[in-house]
């Protein structure tokens, strides 16, 4: 079954046969996390780096922001049985979708830098990533196998 993750949201599954998918990763980041032994995984789709721009919105939806969404996502994975030491982490997005124009706000780059800093501080390694560029991406995670792949400009690519 396909489990769709919306923008500023996350989904976790441990159901055999489930594929978690998020569409339209432009400047947003998709963070796919899988516990191969526990056969549980999910995707987080974050929009903006820091919740300080709208703390009230962050309280209602922490998954909108990297600084609040990432901890909430990992906490939920652990609460559902994932084991930190077994996690396989992959990420995609962080593009400049301005079509060659100057990216004054650099949202994609700022999202990526904050996420990498948070993961580094928590000793969480990233196994694979495809970030930057100017193309939007769709990210998939097969919960059984942990296979993570992208659809970029109509081309499928394993991550």
């Amino acid at each position: 079954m396909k489990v769709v993750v919306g923008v500023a949201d996350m989904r976790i599954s441990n159901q055999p046969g489930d594929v978690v998918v998020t569409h339209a990763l432009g400047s947003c980041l998709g963070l796919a996390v899988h516990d191969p032994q526990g056969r549980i995984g999910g995707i987080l789709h974050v929009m903006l780096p820091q919740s300080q721009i709208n703390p009230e919105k962050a309280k209602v939806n922490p998954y909108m922001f990297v600084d609040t969404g990432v901890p909430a996502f990992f906490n939920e994975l652990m609460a559902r049985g994932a084991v930190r030491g077994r996690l396989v982490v992959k990420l995609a997005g962080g593009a400049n979708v301005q079509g060659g124009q100057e990216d004054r706000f650099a949202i994609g780059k700022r999202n990526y830098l904050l996420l990498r800093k948070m993961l580094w501080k928590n000793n969480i390694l990233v196994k694979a990533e495809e970030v930057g560029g100017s193309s939007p991406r769709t990210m998939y995670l097969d919960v059984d196998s942990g296979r993570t792949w992208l659809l970029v400009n109509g081309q499928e690519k394993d991550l």
Side-chain angles (χ1 to χ4, degrees):
M1 186 166 143
K2 192 182 282 188
V3 179
V4 179
V5 181
V7 177
D9 201 4
M10 70 88 184
R11 291 285 181 263
I12 296 170
S13 176
N14 63 354
Q15 297 300 308
D18 276 1
V19 173
V20 184
V21 59
T22 193
H23 301 276
L25 290 169
S27 60
C28 296
L29 283 177
L31 179 65
V33 180
H34 183 253
D35 176 342
Q37 241 179 298
R39 291 197 170 183
I40 184 170
I43 293 178
L44 167 67
H45 184 141
V46 292
M47 289 176 58
L48 298 166
Q50 296 183 311
S51 59
Q52 68 190 25
I53 64 167
N54 194 333
E56 288 306 312
K57 194 166 267 191
K59 285 181 188 171
V60 174
N61 183 3
Y63 305 113
M64 182 176 284
F65 303 97
V66 172
D67 66 342
T68 54
V70 171
F73 179 55
F74 276 94
N75 287 339
E76 188 62 29
L77 276 163
M78 305 311 174
R80 294 193 194 181
V83 175
R84 180 187 166 106
R86 301 189 306 223
L87 297 179
V88 177
V89 177
K90 299 178 181 180
L91 60 106
N96 171 10
V97 291
Q98 303 276 320
Q101 297 176 14
E102 180 187 356
D103 188 7
R104 290 193 328 204
F105 298 109
I107 299 296
K109 185 177 185 177
R110 290 172 40 221
N111 281 339
Y112 174 71
L113 291 173
L114 181 57
L115 175 61
R116 288 304 301 242
K117 182 178 179 180
M118 290 176 72
L119 294 175
W120 178 75
K121 280 186 166 184
N122 287 284
N123 296 314
I124 297 172
L125 299 178
V126 175
K127 182 170 184 178
E129 66 180 39
E130 183 175 298
V131 297
S134 59
S135 297
R137 300 163 173 99
T138 297
M139 178 182 233
Y140 298 86
L141 170 66
D142 181 301
V143 173
D144 287 334
S145 67
R147 178 179 176 236
T148 307
W149 70 99
L150 303 173
L151 192 60
V152 186
N153 296 323
Q155 301 291 316
E156 191 173 296
K157 177 181 183 177
D158 278 333
L159 190 60

